[in-house]
Coordinates of all heavy atoms in Angstrom, one line a residue:
E1 N 17.1 -10.7 -70.6 CA 17.7 -11.2 -71.8 C 19.2 -11.0 -71.8 O 19.7 -9.9 -71.5 CB 17.0 -10.5 -73.0 CG 15.6 -10.9 -73.2 CD 15.0 -10.1 -74.3 OE1 15.7 -10.0 -75.4 OE2 13.8 -9.6 -74.2
Q2 N 19.9 -12.0 -72.3 CA 21.3 -12.0 -72.3 C 21.9 -11.0 -73.2 O 22.9 -10.4 -72.9 CB 21.9 -13.4 -72.6 CG 23.4 -13.5 -72.5 CD 23.9 -14.8 -72.9 OE1 23.1 -15.7 -73.3 NE2 25.2 -15.0 -72.8
F3 N 21.3 -10.8 -74.4 CA 21.9 -10.0 -75.4 C 21.2 -8.6 -75.6 O 21.3 -8.0 -76.7 CB 22.0 -10.7 -76.8 CG 22.8 -12.0 -76.6 CD1 22.2 -13.2 -76.9 CD2 24.1 -12.0 -76.2 CE1 22.9 -14.4 -76.8 CE2 24.8 -13.2 -76.0 CZ 24.2 -14.4 -76.3
S4 N 20.5 -8.2 -74.7 CA 19.7 -6.9 -74.8 C 20.7 -5.8 -74.5 O 21.8 -6.0 -73.9 CB 18.5 -6.9 -73.9 OG 19.0 -6.8 -72.5
F5 N 20.3 -4.5 -74.8 CA 21.1 -3.4 -74.5 C 21.3 -3.2 -73.0 O 22.3 -2.7 -72.5 CB 20.5 -2.1 -75.1 CG 20.6 -2.1 -76.6 CD1 19.5 -2.2 -77.4 CD2 21.8 -1.9 -77.2 CE1 19.6 -2.1 -78.7 CE2 22.0 -1.9 -78.5 CZ 20.9 -2.0 -79.3
D6 N 20.3 -3.6 -72.2 CA 20.4 -3.4 -70.7 C 21.4 -4.4 -70.1 O 22.0 -4.1 -69.1 CB 19.0 -3.7 -70.1 CG 18.0 -2.6 -70.6 OD1 18.5 -1.5 -70.8 OD2 16.8 -2.9 -70.7
A7 N 21.6 -5.6 -70.8 CA 22.4 -6.6 -70.3 C 23.9 -6.2 -70.5 O 24.8 -6.7 -69.8 CB 22.2 -7.9 -70.9
V8 N 24.2 -5.4 -71.5 CA 25.5 -4.9 -71.8 C 25.5 -3.4 -71.8 O 25.4 -2.7 -72.8 CB 26.0 -5.5 -73.2 CG1 27.4 -5.1 -73.4 CG2 25.8 -7.0 -73.3
P9 N 25.7 -2.8 -70.6 CA 25.6 -1.4 -70.5 C 26.8 -0.6 -71.1 O 26.6 0.5 -71.5 CB 25.5 -1.1 -68.9 CG 26.2 -2.3 -68.3 CD 25.9 -3.4 -69.3
K10 N 27.9 -1.2 -71.1 CA 29.1 -0.5 -71.7 C 29.5 -1.2 -73.0 O 29.4 -2.4 -73.1 CB 30.3 -0.6 -70.7 CG 30.1 0.1 -69.4 CD 31.3 -0.1 -68.6 CE 31.1 0.5 -67.2 NZ 32.2 0.1 -66.2
V11 N 29.9 -0.4 -73.9 CA 30.2 -1.0 -75.3 C 31.4 -1.9 -75.2 O 31.5 -3.0 -75.8 CB 30.5 0.2 -76.3 CG1 31.0 -0.4 -77.6 CG2 29.3 1.0 -76.4
I12 N 32.4 -1.6 -74.3 CA 33.6 -2.4 -74.2 C 33.2 -3.8 -73.7 O 33.9 -4.8 -74.0 CB 34.7 -1.7 -73.3 CG1 36.0 -2.4 -73.5 CG2 34.2 -1.7 -71.9 CD1 36.6 -2.1 -74.9
D13 N 32.1 -3.9 -72.9 CA 31.8 -5.2 -72.3 C 31.0 -6.1 -73.4 O 30.9 -7.3 -73.2 CB 30.8 -5.0 -71.1 CG 31.5 -4.4 -70.0 OD1 32.8 -4.6 -69.9 OD2 30.8 -3.7 -69.1
A14 N 30.7 -5.5 -74.5 CA 30.0 -6.3 -75.5 C 31.0 -7.3 -76.1 O 30.5 -8.4 -76.6 CB 29.5 -5.4 -76.6
H15 N 32.2 -7.0 -76.1 CA 33.2 -8.0 -76.6 C 33.2 -9.3 -75.9 O 33.3 -10.4 -76.5 CB 34.6 -7.3 -76.6 CG 35.7 -8.2 -77.0 ND1 36.3 -9.1 -76.1 CD2 36.3 -8.4 -78.2 CE1 37.3 -9.8 -76.8 NE2 37.3 -9.4 -78.1
D16 N 33.0 -9.2 -74.6 CA 33.0 -10.4 -73.7 C 31.7 -11.1 -73.7 O 31.6 -12.2 -73.2 CB 33.5 -10.1 -72.4 CG 35.0 -9.6 -72.4 OD1 35.7 -10.0 -73.3 OD2 35.4 -8.8 -71.5
A17 N 30.6 -10.4 -74.1 CA 29.3 -11.0 -74.0 C 29.1 -12.2 -74.9 O 28.4 -13.1 -74.6 CB 28.2 -9.9 -74.3
L18 N 29.8 -12.2 -76.1 CA 29.8 -13.3 -77.0 C 31.2 -13.8 -77.2 O 32.0 -13.3 -78.0 CB 29.2 -12.8 -78.4 CG 27.8 -12.4 -78.4 CD1 27.4 -11.7 -79.7 CD2 26.9 -13.6 -78.2
P19 N 31.6 -14.8 -76.4 CA 33.0 -15.2 -76.5 C 33.5 -15.8 -77.8 O 34.6 -15.7 -78.1 CB 33.1 -16.3 -75.4 CG 31.6 -16.7 -75.1 CD 30.8 -15.6 -75.5
D20 N 32.6 -16.3 -78.6 CA 32.9 -16.9 -79.9 C 33.0 -15.8 -81.0 O 33.4 -16.1 -82.2 CB 32.0 -18.0 -80.3 CG 32.1 -19.2 -79.4 OD1 33.1 -19.3 -78.7 OD2 31.1 -19.9 -79.2
S21 N 32.6 -14.6 -80.7 CA 32.5 -13.6 -81.8 C 33.9 -13.2 -82.4 O 34.0 -13.1 -83.6 CB 31.8 -12.4 -81.3 OG 32.6 -11.8 -80.2
M22 N 34.9 -13.2 -81.6 CA 36.2 -12.8 -82.1 C 36.7 -13.9 -83.0 O 37.4 -13.7 -84.0 CB 37.2 -12.5 -81.0 CG 37.0 -11.2 -80.4 SD 37.0 -9.8 -81.5 CE 38.7 -9.8 -82.0
Q23 N 36.5 -15.2 -82.6 CA 36.9 -16.3 -83.4 C 36.2 -16.2 -84.8 O 36.9 -16.5 -85.8 CB 36.6 -17.6 -82.8 CG 37.4 -17.8 -81.5 CD 36.9 -19.0 -80.7 OE1 36.0 -19.7 -81.1 NE2 37.6 -19.4 -79.6
Q24 N 34.9 -15.9 -84.8 CA 34.2 -15.8 -86.1 C 34.8 -14.6 -86.9 O 34.9 -14.8 -88.1 CB 32.7 -15.5 -85.9 CG 32.0 -16.8 -85.4 CD 30.5 -16.5 -85.3 OE1 30.0 -15.5 -85.7 NE2 29.8 -17.5 -84.7
I25 N 35.1 -13.5 -86.3 CA 35.6 -12.4 -87.0 C 36.9 -12.7 -87.6 O 37.2 -12.5 -88.8 CB 35.7 -11.1 -86.1 CG1 34.3 -10.6 -85.7 CG2 36.5 -10.0 -86.7 CD1 34.3 -9.6 -84.7
I26 N 37.8 -13.4 -86.9 CA 39.1 -13.7 -87.4 C 39.0 -14.7 -88.5 O 39.7 -14.7 -89.5 CB 40.0 -14.2 -86.2 CG1 40.4 -13.1 -85.3 CG2 41.3 -14.9 -86.7 CD1 41.1 -13.4 -84.1
L27 N 38.1 -15.7 -88.4 CA 37.8 -16.7 -89.4 C 37.4 -16.1 -90.7 O 38.0 -16.3 -91.8 CB 36.8 -17.7 -89.0 CG 36.4 -18.7 -90.1 CD1 37.4 -19.7 -90.3 CD2 35.1 -19.3 -89.7
W28 N 36.5 -15.2 -90.7 CA 36.0 -14.5 -91.9 C 37.0 -13.6 -92.6 O 37.2 -13.6 -93.8 CB 34.7 -13.8 -91.6 CG 33.5 -14.7 -91.5 CD1 32.8 -14.9 -90.3 CD2 32.9 -15.5 -92.4 NE1 31.9 -15.9 -90.5 CE2 31.9 -16.2 -91.8 CE3 33.1 -15.7 -93.8 CZ2 31.1 -17.1 -92.5 CZ3 32.3 -16.6 -94.5 CH2 31.3 -17.3 -93.8
I29 N 37.8 -12.9 -91.8 CA 38.8 -12.0 -92.3 C 39.9 -12.9 -92.9 O 40.4 -12.6 -94.0 CB 39.4 -11.2 -91.2 CG1 38.4 -10.1 -90.8 CG2 40.7 -10.5 -91.7 CD1 38.8 -9.2 -89.7
S30 N 40.2 -14.1 -92.3 CA 41.2 -15.0 -92.8 C 40.8 -15.5 -94.2 O 41.6 -15.7 -95.1 CB 41.5 -16.1 -91.9 OG 42.0 -15.6 -90.7
L31 N 39.5 -15.9 -94.3 CA 39.0 -16.4 -95.6 C 39.0 -15.4 -96.7 O 39.4 -15.7 -97.8 CB 37.6 -16.9 -95.4 CG 37.4 -18.2 -94.6 CD1 36.0 -18.5 -94.3 CD2 38.1 -19.4 -95.3
I32 N 38.7 -14.2 -96.3 CA 38.8 -13.1 -97.3 C 40.2 -12.8 -97.8 O 40.5 -12.7 -98.9 CB 38.1 -11.8 -96.8 CG1 36.6 -12.1 -96.6 CG2 38.4 -10.6 -97.7 CD1 35.9 -11.0 -95.9
E33 N 41.1 -12.8 -96.8 CA 42.5 -12.6 -97.1 C 43.1 -13.8 -98.0 O 43.9 -13.6 -98.8 CB 43.4 -12.5 -95.8 CG 43.2 -11.2 -95.1 CD 43.7 -10.0 -95.9 OE1 44.8 -10.2 -96.6 OE2 43.1 -8.9 -96.0
A34 N 42.6 -15.0 -97.7 CA 43.1 -16.2 -98.5 C 42.7 -16.1 -99.9 O 43.4 -16.7 -100.8 CB 42.5 -17.4 -97.9
M35 N 41.7 -15.3 -100.3 CA 41.4 -15.1 -101.7 C 42.5 -14.4 -102.5 O 42.5 -14.4 -103.7 CB 40.0 -14.4 -101.8 CG 38.9 -15.2 -101.4 SD 37.4 -14.2 -101.6 CE 36.3 -15.1 -100.6
S36 N 43.4 -13.7 -101.8 CA 44.4 -12.9 -102.5 C 45.7 -13.7 -102.7 O 46.6 -13.3 -103.3 CB 44.7 -11.6 -101.7 OG 45.2 -11.9 -100.5
F37 N 45.7 -15.0 -102.1 CA 46.9 -15.8 -102.3 C 47.3 -16.1 -103.7 O 48.5 -16.1 -104.0 CB 46.7 -17.1 -101.5 CG 46.8 -17.0 -100.0 CD1 46.3 -18.0 -99.2 CD2 47.3 -15.9 -99.4 CE1 46.4 -17.9 -97.8 CE2 47.4 -15.7 -98.0 CZ 46.9 -16.7 -97.3
P38 N 46.3 -16.3 -104.7 CA 46.8 -16.6 -106.0 C 47.5 -15.3 -106.6 O 48.4 -15.5 -107.4 CB 45.4 -16.9 -106.8 CG 44.5 -17.4 -105.8 CD 44.9 -16.6 -104.5
A39 N 47.1 -14.2 -106.3 CA 47.7 -13.0 -106.8 C 49.1 -12.8 -106.3 O 50.0 -12.5 -107.0 CB 46.9 -11.7 -106.4
Y40 N 49.3 -13.2 -105.0 CA 50.7 -13.1 -104.4 C 51.6 -14.1 -105.0 O 52.7 -13.9 -105.2 CB 50.6 -13.3 -102.9 CG 49.9 -12.1 -102.2 CD1 49.0 -12.4 -101.2 CD2 50.1 -10.8 -102.6 CE1 48.4 -11.4 -100.5 CE2 49.5 -9.8 -102.0 CZ 48.6 -10.1 -100.9 OH 47.9 -9.1 -100.3
A41 N 51.0 -15.4 -105.3 CA 51.8 -16.4 -105.9 C 52.2 -16.0 -107.3 O 53.4 -16.2 -107.7 CB 51.0 -17.7 -106.0
G42 N 51.4 -15.3 -108.1 CA 51.7 -14.8 -109.4 C 52.8 -13.8 -109.3 O 53.6 -13.7 -110.2
M43 N 52.7 -12.9 -108.3 CA 53.7 -11.9 -108.2 C 55.1 -12.4 -107.9 O 56.1 -11.9 -108.4 CB 53.4 -10.9 -107.1 CG 52.1 -10.0 -107.5 SD 51.5 -9.0 -106.1 CE 53.0 -8.2 -105.6
S44 N 55.2 -13.6 -107.2 CA 56.5 -14.1 -107.0 C 57.1 -14.7 -108.2 O 58.3 -15.0 -108.3 CB 56.4 -15.1 -105.9 OG 55.7 -16.3 -106.3
Q45 N 56.3 -15.0 -109.2 CA 56.8 -15.6 -110.5 C 57.0 -14.5 -111.6 O 57.2 -14.9 -112.7 CB 55.8 -16.6 -111.0 CG 55.7 -17.8 -110.0 CD 54.5 -18.7 -110.4 OE1 53.8 -18.5 -111.4 NE2 54.4 -19.8 -109.6
G46 N 57.1 -13.3 -111.1 CA 57.3 -12.2 -112.1 C 56.1 -11.6 -112.8 O 56.2 -10.8 -113.6
Y47 N 54.9 -12.0 -112.3 CA 53.7 -11.5 -112.9 C 53.4 -10.2 -112.2 O 53.2 -10.1 -111.0 CB 52.5 -12.5 -112.7 CG 51.2 -12.0 -113.1 CD1 50.8 -11.7 -114.4 CD2 50.2 -11.7 -112.1 CE1 49.6 -11.2 -114.7 CE2 49.0 -11.3 -112.4 CZ 48.7 -11.0 -113.8 OH 47.4 -10.6 -114.1
D48 N 53.4 -9.1 -113.0 CA 53.0 -7.8 -112.5 C 51.5 -7.5 -112.7 O 51.0 -7.3 -113.8 CB 53.8 -6.7 -113.2 CG 53.7 -5.3 -112.5 OD1 53.3 -5.3 -111.3 OD2 53.9 -4.4 -113.2
R49 N 50.8 -7.6 -111.6 CA 49.3 -7.5 -111.7 C 48.8 -6.1 -111.7 O 49.5 -5.1 -111.3 CB 48.7 -8.3 -110.5 CG 48.9 -7.7 -109.2 CD 48.3 -8.5 -108.1 NE 48.4 -8.0 -106.8 CZ 47.6 -7.2 -106.3 NH1 46.5 -6.8 -106.9 NH2 47.8 -6.7 -105.0
R50 N 47.7 -5.9 -112.3 CA 47.0 -4.6 -112.5 C 46.3 -4.3 -111.1 O 46.0 -5.2 -110.4 CB 46.1 -4.6 -113.6 CG 46.8 -4.7 -114.9 CD 45.8 -4.9 -116.0 NE 44.9 -6.0 -115.7 CZ 44.6 -6.9 -116.6 NH1 45.1 -7.0 -117.8 NH2 43.7 -7.9 -116.2
P51 N 46.0 -3.0 -110.9 CA 45.2 -2.7 -109.7 C 43.8 -3.4 -109.7 O 43.1 -3.4 -110.7 CB 45.0 -1.2 -109.8 CG 46.0 -0.7 -110.7 CD 46.4 -1.8 -111.6
G52 N 43.5 -4.0 -108.6 CA 42.3 -4.8 -108.4 C 42.3 -6.2 -109.0 O 41.3 -6.9 -109.0
D53 N 43.4 -6.6 -109.6 CA 43.5 -8.0 -110.2 C 44.0 -8.9 -109.2 O 45.2 -9.0 -108.9 CB 44.3 -7.9 -111.5 CG 44.4 -9.3 -112.1 OD1 43.6 -10.2 -111.8 OD2 45.3 -9.5 -113.0
F54 N 43.1 -9.7 -108.6 CA 43.6 -10.7 -107.6 C 43.6 -12.1 -108.1 O 43.6 -13.0 -107.4 CB 42.6 -10.6 -106.4 CG 42.9 -9.3 -105.6 CD1 42.0 -8.3 -105.6 CD2 44.0 -9.1 -104.8 CE1 42.2 -7.1 -104.9 CE2 44.2 -8.0 -104.0 CZ 43.3 -7.0 -104.1
S55 N 43.4 -12.3 -109.4 CA 43.4 -13.6 -110.0 C 42.3 -14.5 -109.5 O 42.4 -15.6 -109.4 CB 44.8 -14.3 -109.9 OG 45.8 -13.5 -110.4
F56 N 41.2 -13.8 -109.0 CA 40.1 -14.6 -108.4 C 38.9 -13.8 -108.7 O 38.7 -12.7 -108.1 CB 40.4 -14.7 -106.9 CG 39.3 -15.5 -106.2 CD1 39.3 -16.9 -106.3 CD2 38.2 -14.9 -105.5 CE1 38.2 -17.6 -105.7 CE2 37.3 -15.6 -104.9 CZ 37.3 -17.0 -105.0
D57 N 38.1 -14.3 -109.6 CA 36.8 -13.6 -110.0 C 35.8 -14.6 -110.4 O 35.4 -14.7 -111.5 CB 37.1 -12.6 -111.2 CG 35.9 -11.7 -111.5 OD1 35.1 -11.5 -110.6 OD2 35.9 -11.1 -112.6
P58 N 35.2 -15.3 -109.4 CA 34.3 -16.4 -109.7 C 32.9 -15.8 -110.1 O 32.2 -16.5 -110.8 CB 34.1 -17.1 -108.3 CG 34.5 -16.1 -107.3 CD 35.5 -15.2 -107.9
L59 N 32.6 -14.6 -109.8 CA 31.3 -14.0 -110.2 C 31.4 -13.2 -111.5 O 30.4 -12.7 -112.0 CB 30.8 -13.2 -109.1 CG 30.5 -13.9 -107.7 CD1 30.0 -12.9 -106.7 CD2 29.6 -15.0 -107.9
G60 N 32.6 -13.0 -112.0 CA 32.8 -12.3 -113.3 C 32.5 -10.8 -113.2 O 31.9 -10.3 -114.1
F61 N 32.9 -10.2 -112.1 CA 32.7 -8.8 -112.0 C 33.7 -8.0 -112.8 O 33.4 -6.8 -113.2 CB 32.9 -8.3 -110.5 CG 31.8 -8.7 -109.6 CD1 32.1 -9.2 -108.4 CD2 30.5 -8.6 -110.0 CE1 31.0 -9.6 -107.5 CE2 29.4 -8.9 -109.2 CZ 29.7 -9.4 -107.9
Y62 N 34.8 -8.5 -113.2 CA 35.8 -7.8 -114.0 C 35.4 -7.7 -115.4 O 35.2 -8.7 -116.0 CB 37.2 -8.4 -113.8 CG 38.4 -7.5 -114.3 CD1 38.6 -6.4 -113.5 CD2 39.1 -7.8 -115.4 CE1 39.7 -5.6 -113.9 CE2 40.1 -7.0 -115.8 CZ 40.4 -5.9 -115.0 OH 41.5 -5.1 -115.4
P63 N 35.2 -6.5 -115.9 CA 34.7 -6.4 -117.3 C 35.7 -6.8 -118.4 O 36.9 -6.8 -118.2 CB 34.4 -4.9 -117.4 CG 35.3 -4.2 -116.4 CD 35.4 -5.2 -115.3
S64 N 35.2 -7.2 -119.5 CA 36.1 -7.6 -120.6 C 36.4 -6.4 -121.5 O 37.4 -6.5 -122.3 CB 35.4 -8.8 -121.4 OG 34.2 -8.4 -121.9
D65 N 35.6 -5.4 -121.5 CA 35.9 -4.2 -122.3 C 37.0 -3.4 -121.7 O 37.1 -3.1 -120.6 CB 34.6 -3.4 -122.3 CG 34.7 -2.1 -123.1 OD1 35.4 -2.1 -124.1 OD2 34.2 -1.1 -122.7
P66 N 38.1 -3.1 -122.6 CA 39.2 -2.4 -122.0 C 38.9 -1.1 -121.4 O 39.6 -0.7 -120.4 CB 40.1 -2.2 -123.3 CG 39.7 -3.3 -124.2 CD 38.2 -3.5 -123.9
E67 N 38.0 -0.3 -121.9 CA 37.6 1.0 -121.4 C 37.0 0.8 -120.0 O 37.4 1.5 -119.1 CB 36.6 1.7 -122.3 CG 36.3 3.1 -121.9 CD 37.6 4.0 -121.9 OE1 38.4 3.8 -122.8 OE2 37.7 4.9 -121.1
K68 N 36.2 -0.2 -119.8 CA 35.6 -0.4 -118.5 C 36.6 -1.0 -117.5 O 36.5 -0.7 -116.3 CB 34.4 -1.4 -118.6 CG 33.2 -0.8 -119.3 CD 32.1 -1.8 -119.4 CE 30.9 -1.2 -120.0 NZ 29.7 -2.1 -120.2
Q69 N 37.6 -1.7 -118.0 CA 38.7 -2.2 -117.2 C 39.5 -1.1 -116.7 O 39.8 -1.0 -115.4 CB 39.6 -3.2 -118.0 CG 39.0 -4.5 -118.2 CD 40.0 -5.4 -119.1 OE1 41.0 -4.9 -119.5 NE2 39.5 -6.6 -119.3
K70 N 39.8 -0.1 -117.5 CA 40.5 1.1 -117.0 C 39.8 1.8 -116.0 O 40.3 2.3 -115.0 CB 40.9 2.0 -118.2 CG 42.1 1.6 -119.0 CD 42.5 2.8 -119.8 CE 43.9 2.9 -120.2 NZ 44.9 2.7 -119.2
K71 N 38.4 2.0 -116.2 CA 37.6 2.7 -115.2 C 37.6 1.9 -113.8 O 37.7 2.6 -112.8 CB 36.2 2.8 -115.7 CG 35.3 3.6 -114.9 CD 33.9 3.8 -115.5 CE 33.0 4.5 -114.6 NZ 31.6 4.6 -115.1
M72 N 37.5 0.6 -113.9 CA 37.5 -0.1 -112.7 C 38.9 -0.1 -112.0 O 39.0 0.0 -110.8 CB 37.2 -1.6 -112.9 CG 37.0 -2.4 -111.7 SD 36.4 -4.1 -112.0 CE 34.6 -3.7 -111.7
Q73 N 40.0 -0.1 -112.7 CA 41.3 0.0 -112.2 C 41.5 1.4 -111.5 O 42.1 1.5 -110.4 CB 42.4 -0.2 -113.2 CG 42.4 -1.6 -113.7 CD 43.3 -1.7 -114.9 OE1 43.9 -0.8 -115.4 NE2 43.3 -2.9 -115.6
L74 N 41.0 2.5 -112.1 CA 41.1 3.8 -111.5 C 40.3 3.9 -110.3 O 40.7 4.5 -109.3 CB 40.6 4.8 -112.5 CG 40.7 6.3 -112.1 CD1 42.1 6.7 -111.8 CD2 40.1 7.2 -113.1
A75 N 39.1 3.2 -110.3 CA 38.3 3.2 -109.0 C 39.0 2.5 -107.9 O 39.0 2.9 -106.7 CB 36.9 2.6 -109.3
E76 N 39.7 1.4 -108.3 CA 40.5 0.6 -107.2 C 41.6 1.5 -106.7 O 41.9 1.5 -105.5 CB 41.0 -0.7 -107.9 CG 41.8 -1.5 -106.9 CD 40.9 -2.2 -105.9 OE1 39.7 -2.3 -106.2 OE2 41.4 -2.6 -104.8
L77 N 42.3 2.2 -107.5 CA 43.4 3.1 -107.1 C 42.9 4.2 -106.2 O 43.5 4.5 -105.1 CB 44.2 3.7 -108.2 CG 45.1 2.7 -109.0 CD1 45.6 3.4 -110.2 CD2 46.2 2.3 -108.1
K78 N 41.8 4.8 -106.6 CA 41.2 5.8 -105.7 C 40.7 5.3 -104.4 O 40.8 6.0 -103.4 CB 40.0 6.5 -106.5 CG 40.4 7.4 -107.6 CD 39.3 8.0 -108.3 CE 39.6 9.0 -109.4 NZ 38.5 9.6 -110.0
N79 N 40.1 4.1 -104.4 CA 39.7 3.5 -103.2 C 40.9 3.2 -102.2 O 40.8 3.5 -101.0 CB 38.9 2.2 -103.5 CG 38.3 1.5 -102.3 OD1 38.1 2.2 -101.3 ND2 38.1 0.3 -102.3
G80 N 41.9 2.7 -102.8 CA 43.1 2.5 -102.0 C 43.7 3.8 -101.4 O 44.1 3.8 -100.2
R81 N 43.7 4.8 -102.2 CA 44.2 6.1 -101.7 C 43.4 6.7 -100.6 O 43.8 7.2 -99.6 CB 44.3 7.1 -102.9 CG 45.5 6.7 -103.8 CD 45.4 7.6 -105.0 NE 46.5 7.1 -106.0 CZ 46.5 7.4 -107.3 NH1 45.4 8.0 -107.8 NH2 47.4 7.0 -108.1
L82 N 42.1 6.6 -100.8 CA 41.1 7.1 -99.8 C 41.3 6.3 -98.5 O 41.3 6.8 -97.4 CB 39.7 6.9 -100.3 CG 38.6 7.4 -99.3 CD1 38.8 8.9 -99.0 CD2 37.2 7.2 -99.9
A83 N 41.5 4.9 -98.6 CA 41.7 4.1 -97.4 C 43.0 4.5 -96.7 O 43.0 4.6 -95.5 CB 41.8 2.6 -97.8
M84 N 44.0 4.9 -97.4 CA 45.3 5.3 -96.8 C 45.1 6.6 -96.0 O 45.6 6.8 -94.9 CB 46.4 5.4 -97.8 CG 46.9 4.1 -98.3 SD 48.4 4.3 -99.3 CE 47.6 4.6 -100.9
I85 N 44.3 7.5 -96.7 CA 44.0 8.8 -96.0 C 43.2 8.6 -94.8 O 43.5 9.2 -93.7 CB 43.4 9.8 -97.0 CG1 44.4 10.2 -98.1 CG2 42.8 11.0 -96.2 CD1 43.7 11.0 -99.2
A86 N 42.2 7.7 -94.9 CA 41.4 7.4 -93.7 C 42.2 6.8 -92.5 O 42.0 7.2 -91.4 CB 40.2 6.5 -94.1
I87 N 43.1 5.9 -92.8 CA 43.9 5.3 -91.8 C 44.8 6.4 -91.2 O 45.0 6.5 -90.0 CB 44.7 4.1 -92.3 CG1 43.8 3.0 -92.6 CG2 45.8 3.7 -91.3 CD1 43.1 2.4 -91.3
G88 N 45.3 7.2 -92.0 CA 46.2 8.3 -91.5 C 45.5 9.3 -90.7 O 46.1 9.9 -89.7
G89 N 44.2 9.5 -90.9 CA 43.4 10.4 -90.1 C 43.0 9.8 -88.8 O 42.5 10.5 -87.9
M90 N 43.2 8.5 -88.5 CA 42.7 7.9 -87.3 C 43.7 8.3 -86.2 O 44.4 8.2 -85.6 CB 42.6 6.4 -87.4 CG 41.4 6.1 -88.4 SD 41.3 4.3 -88.7 CE 40.5 3.7 -87.2

């Protein structure tokens, strides 16, 4: 079998086993990054956005209650700080 563990004995060789995989990864990352373009466009016009506000919320995750908004903003700041520490530890 082409994609079994025996066919790809080294982890580094798994990258070349599926040649289209890197294209898919780059495509999906690009699409996710493109979702933040409205927020960047607003920042260039003097709009100072809050933590976690990307001006894109089609599923309505951002709460309308001010107390819950503060809680979500704090969680976003903590998540960003943890990500910076994690990258620094690599």
Side-chain angles (χ1 to χ4, degrees):
E1 293 179 38
Q2 182 182 3
F3 303 120
S4 67
F5 288 112
D6 297 329
V8 185
K10 297 179 189 170
V11 174
I12 196 72
D13 294 335
H15 177 272
D16 298 329
L18 293 170
D20 296 332
S21 62
M22 284 306 289
Q23 294 172 356
Q24 286 184 8
I25 291 171
I26 290 172
L27 171 74
W28 286 110
I29 289 173
S30 300
L31 289 173
I32 291 170
E33 287 292 323
M35 291 180 194
S36 63
F37 288 162
Y40 296 139
M43 287 173 54
S44 67
Q45 298 171 357
Y47 171 69
D48 187 24
R49 65 184 182 91
R50 296 176 303 232
D53 181 14
F54 289 102
S55 302
F56 182 78
D57 190 17
L59 301 177
F61 286 136
Y62 196 67
S64 58
D65 180 35
E67 188 62 35
K68 289 182 181 179
Q69 287 178 356
K70 278 198 155 309
K71 184 177 178 183
M72 185 172 266
Q73 290 170 6
L74 181 62
E76 182 71 22
L77 286 173
K78 287 181 178 182
N79 184 25
R81 291 173 183 156
L82 181 63
M84 287 187 277
I85 291 172
I87 288 294
M90 291 175 81

